[in-house]
Amino acid sequence: MSSLEVNDLSQMMENSWKRCQRYGLKSSDPVYDDIITGNRIREITQQHEQLILHTEQIFAKMNRLIKQSGQMALLIDAQGTILHSVGDPDFSNRAEMVQLQVGANWEERRKGTNAIGLALTEQTAVRVHAEEHYYTSNRFLTCASSPIFSPDGQLIGVINISGKKESYYDYTLTLACLAADSLQNKLIWEKTSEEHLITLKELEYTAQNVPMPLLSLDRDNRIVRANQAALRIVGRDALGKEFAGAKGFAMETICDDRHKVWRSVAIQRKPHGEPRLYEFQDIIGACPKLLHTKEIARKAALTEYPVVLLGESGTGKELFAQSIHSASFRSAHPFIAVNCSAIPDSLVESELFGYERGAFTGANKEGSIGKFEAAHKGTIFLDEIGDMSLRAQAALLRVLQENTITPVGSTKSKRIDIRIVAATHRNLSEEVREGRFRADLYYRLKGIQITLPPLRERSDLVPLSYHLLQGHGSPSSILTEQAQMKLQQYHWPGNIRELNSVLLQASFLAEGGPIDVKHLQLEEDVPELGEFTQPEATLSLKDAEMHAIKKALRQTGGNLSKAAALLQIGRTTLYRKIQEYDMTPF
């Protein structure tokens, strides 16, 4: 192994020497001397063009010192290939005898223990001096290397300073580290500038595609940016002019952390005359579970992925669906809600996809567009999708796969551009296993799945109750401690819808006074059928049916499928009787 034994080396050198021995290298053998030239080296240098350019600028400042000290500085890529070098010509000629030159590869398994290979292997700054080199032919060298990392922390190369062992200087390792740090700073600055430019372009693109008019104002209230929707209002020549204000614009001030640089943003929202959909700010509650759910829904709104909202009846699935639409890039286009459980099986295609004139007996003379066409460019909300029949599911799947609809009675298809938000109280994966829901439709719909917490699992029931009382025109209503306790102990099968109904009744019964336990008409307190009538009283068939339907709907929180199951009749039959008796299903 030569006169220098492994035990005399530092631990790092010892490990390196042992690796060389495992590679089958012998210190006295000729060194691997293949040099990359011609087109191949040109390809490699072109791949690292920016890295070499930055290195040239750094080496230019070091070149005089490097030459005077009889050394050379080198840039090496992550595979160990030398890409660029500068330095003393006399030493460079001597270095070429051991292939310390552009195109040579100095990874450890080729050149044995050396500063370049060791820096690549250990990913740390290192000096290899004289007989610390594994190969005998390299022991006239003293070398210092420092690894180079990309802005995201990936090893991309090494800076090396080499000279004859007689020209050993303590500062060479520090100089190599400084050069590597300087190169990394240039790369970070370059990436930051690129990301800043991309961010500006991204914001510009986003602003131009947001349907709401947006203006950016400087501190002198001059318009510095405006999207197309805003320019249609303030005029195409408005940039650079002072913003005097325009109807419907709301101002928002934005500043830096030190409040020294600031601008204003002006946004024009929808006119008050248009129907207002719910927004995330309308979802009231401080429960951590609810806040987490809102945050997921906010992120989902900014995508085009389909969303499935899971939750019990009355948890606010349509509230979330409208909020997702309102926060999306489709907010200026229609939001169409479809109660899948309320559509008779025979009318699914005509309801969803529309029909042509004279398509069937009783059809509108002019024909009718379906829900999907009405939602074009916007969002369609498929509520209670778990209650769809398999036949209806097959029809829906075709639309989602092909993005086209064919109205009943027509031979022509129409392309549609919609975003799907679906909701159900059912466990769809269980429905798939039981064969009641198509697996292919399930996976087509299951883009982002959001589960809404039931009311009994929320920690903010009392604050929510006060908010709902305000909505009933009872802002000064007080819930006694006993009433609060009873509300918190109840299981709330109908969730927020049931809570809202209970509080409406309670505020009426309390007549402006404190709401106490006696005012809370909870489901467990509602008298059964026999308690409402005298023993000898006999109800008509219609009254008995209406009472049974109302009770079933109340017990299931308005869910038609569950109510039909309780009544032991089909969902279509229940829907027909609700229509026949002019009843409200919720």
Side-chain angles (χ1 to χ4, degrees):
M1 183 183 291
S2 87
S3 59
L4 184 67
E5 294 297 325
V6 170
N7 292 336
D8 297 330
L9 302 173
S10 68
Q11 187 64 49
M12 191 183 298
M13 301 299 171
E14 178 182 340
N15 293 338
S16 177
W17 276 55
K18 287 180 178 179
R19 285 194 298 270
C20 293
Q21 291 166 358
R22 287 198 299 272
Y23 298 150
L25 305 180
K26 293 184 178 180
S27 59
S28 58
D29 283 352
V31 181
Y32 176 88
D33 61 356
D34 191 22
I35 303 291
I36 300 172
T37 58
N39 290 334
R40 181 57 186 145
I41 192 62
R42 278 194 290 273
E43 289 176 8
I44 294 174
T45 54
Q46 284 174 1
Q47 291 170 10
H48 298 84
E49 186 176 5
Q50 280 301 110
L51 188 65
I52 293 172
L53 179 62
H54 292 318
T55 304
E56 286 176 342
Q57 296 171 356
I58 294 168
F59 282 0
K61 297 177 180 179
M62 299 166 45
N63 199 21
R64 183 177 176 185
L65 175 62
I66 295 294
K67 283 184 176 181
Q68 287 178 349
S69 58
Q71 301 179 96
M72 62 188 302
L74 307 102
L75 170 68
I76 301 94
D77 70 10
Q79 285 69 49
T81 301
I82 299 175
L83 303 175
H84 179 66
S85 67
V86 298
D88 177 55
D90 293 336
F91 174 71
S92 297
N93 292 333
R94 175 73 176 90
E96 286 182 5
M97 296 176 65
V98 291
Q99 296 85 46
L100 193 59
Q101 64 189 91
V102 172
N105 189 287
W106 276 70
E107 63 175 355
E108 192 178 70
R109 65 175 58 245
R110 296 174 185 266
K111 297 289 188 180
T113 303
N114 70 88
I116 295 171
L118 202 50
L120 288 172
T121 301
E122 301 289 345
Q123 297 191 17
T124 188
V126 63
R127 183 197 301 276
V128 177
H129 179 67
E131 295 199 359
E132 290 177 337
H133 289 88
Y134 185 79
Y135 275 114
T136 306
S137 57
N138 292 336
R139 294 177 184 170
F140 75 97
L141 294 169
T142 182
C143 308
S145 291
S146 180
I148 309 161
F149 296 97
S150 68
D152 56 1
Q154 298 297 312
L155 179 70
I156 58 173
V158 165
I159 292 290
N160 174 265
I161 299 176
S162 295
K164 292 186 290 188
K165 63 182 180 181
E166 294 81 10
S167 304
Y168 175 89
Y169 296 98
D170 285 335
Y171 64 77
T172 53
L173 183 59
T174 302
L175 188 60
C177 292
L178 289 173
D181 288 345
S182 180
L183 182 53
Q184 288 172 174
N185 289 339
K186 282 180 176 288
L187 295 174
I188 291 172
W189 175 255
E190 183 178 61
K191 183 172 183 180
T192 301
S193 300
E194 289 174 354
E195 288 180 346
H196 180 66
L197 180 60
I198 289 294
T199 300
L200 288 176
K201 289 183 177 180
E202 181 183 351
L203 289 173
E204 183 72 18
Y205 177 83
T206 302
Q208 293 301 334
N209 287 277
V210 167
M212 292 184 299
L214 296 173
L215 297 172
S216 291
L217 313 175
D218 64 15
R219 63 190 309 153
D220 295 322
N221 220 36
R222 287 191 299 266
I223 300 173
V224 293
R225 270 187 296 277
N227 66 358
Q228 294 299 318
L231 289 175
R232 285 194 289 269
I233 297 171
V234 299
R236 298 284 172 182
D237 60 346
L239 291 180
K241 293 183 179 179
E242 185 175 351
F243 180 60
K247 185 178 179 181
F249 276 92
M251 302 287 288
E252 182 81 23
T253 300
I254 302 171
C255 61
D256 67 351
D257 294 338
R258 297 173 298 169
H259 295 273
K260 289 189 175 182
V261 179
W262 59 272
R263 283 190 174 171
S264 297
V265 177
I267 304 173
Q268 188 186 62
R269 301 194 181 275
K270 288 184 178 181
H272 294 297
E274 294 185 16
R276 180 184 177 275
L277 296 175
Y278 288 114
E279 299 178 5
F280 283 114
Q281 65 190 29
D282 299 314
I283 301 176
I284 304 301
C287 172
K289 285 186 178 180
L290 178 71
L291 295 178
H292 177 65
T293 303
K294 279 176 66 174
E295 185 59 29
I296 294 174
R298 283 182 195 276
K299 293 177 180 177
L302 301 177
T303 72
E304 284 289 274
Y305 300 132
V307 174
V308 175
L309 299 169
L310 303 177
E312 298 175 8
S313 181
T315 51
K317 294 189 288 292
E318 181 156 1
L319 178 58
F320 267 84
Q322 290 190 18
S323 299
I324 289 171
H325 173 75
S326 297
S328 74
F329 299 133
R330 296 177 179 265
S331 60
H333 300 286
F335 174 87
I336 303 296
V338 181
N339 188 339
C340 299
S341 67
I343 304 176
D345 206 32
S346 59
L347 298 179
V348 166
E349 282 89 349
S350 58
E351 282 287 316
L352 296 183
F353 314 135
Y355 57 86
E356 294 293 304
R357 180 170 49 184
F360 51 86
T361 303
N364 188 307
K365 292 182 179 180
E366 301 302 321
S368 175
I369 67 169
K371 303 295 187 183
F372 274 79
E373 189 174 353
H376 184 56
K377 297 287 186 182
T379 301
I380 189 164
F381 174 47
L382 302 176
D383 196 11
E384 297 302 350
I385 195 167
D387 294 334
M388 258 190 166
S389 68
L390 289 170
R391 175 174 170 273
Q393 291 174 34
L396 176 59
L397 179 63
R398 285 197 303 273
V399 173
L400 299 184
Q401 287 175 333
E402 300 168 11
N403 291 321
T404 60
I405 58 167
T406 304
V408 176
S410 174
T411 58
K412 294 181 180 180
S413 296
K414 299 178 181 180
R415 290 202 66 80
I416 53 167
D417 173 19
I418 55 171
R419 200 260 180 93
I420 300 282
V421 177
T424 181
H425 67 282
R426 297 186 181 277
N427 184 332
L428 287 185
S429 59
E430 179 65 27
E431 294 294 299
V432 170
R433 282 193 293 272
E434 295 295 327
R436 293 188 292 268
F437 201 86
R438 294 180 62 115
D440 44 7
L441 178 59
Y442 172 64
Y443 291 114
R444 174 73 65 169
L445 290 170
K446 187 187 173 186
I448 300 173
Q449 194 165 284
I450 302 173
T451 302
L452 278 57
L455 184 58
R456 63 182 171 275
E457 293 180 7
R458 288 178 55 169
S459 59
D460 59 351
L461 189 144
V462 172
L464 178 61
S465 298
Y466 277 110
H467 173 78
L468 293 175
L469 285 169
Q470 285 185 336
H472 295 318
S474 307
S476 58
S477 293
I478 296 175
L479 291 162
T480 65
E481 288 188 17
Q482 292 77 11
Q484 293 181 25
M485 187 176 299
K486 181 154 187 172
L487 290 175
Q488 291 171 322
Q489 291 172 346
Y490 185 56
H491 59 287
W492 298 109
N495 291 289
I496 299 172
R497 186 183 292 123
E498 184 181 3
L499 173 63
N500 194 38
S501 176
V502 166
L503 292 174
L504 176 62
Q505 172 86 345
S507 62
F508 169 74
L509 294 175
E511 296 181 328
I515 295 175
D516 204 353
V517 172
K518 64 182 179 182
H519 302 126
L520 298 175
Q521 301 293 308
L522 301 177
E523 189 66 35
E524 57 199 21
D525 302 325
V526 176
E528 294 299 319
L529 175 60
E531 295 178 77
F532 282 115
T533 59
Q534 297 298 325
E536 66 275 8
T538 302
L539 293 175
S540 68
L541 178 61
K542 176 181 177 181
D543 289 339
E545 282 191 342
M546 287 180 66
H547 182 80
I549 290 171
K550 286 179 180 178
K551 183 177 179 182
L553 289 171
R554 189 168 59 245
Q555 288 177 342
T556 60
N559 186 281
L560 292 177
S561 296
K562 288 185 176 180
L566 279 177
L567 295 168
Q568 298 182 7
I569 60 175
R571 190 177 70 248
T572 304
T573 302
L574 175 59
Y575 180 75
R576 178 171 52 78
K577 287 188 175 293
I578 289 172
Q579 297 287 90
E580 179 183 338
Y581 297 145
D582 195 24
M583 299 169 64
T584 302
F586 299 105

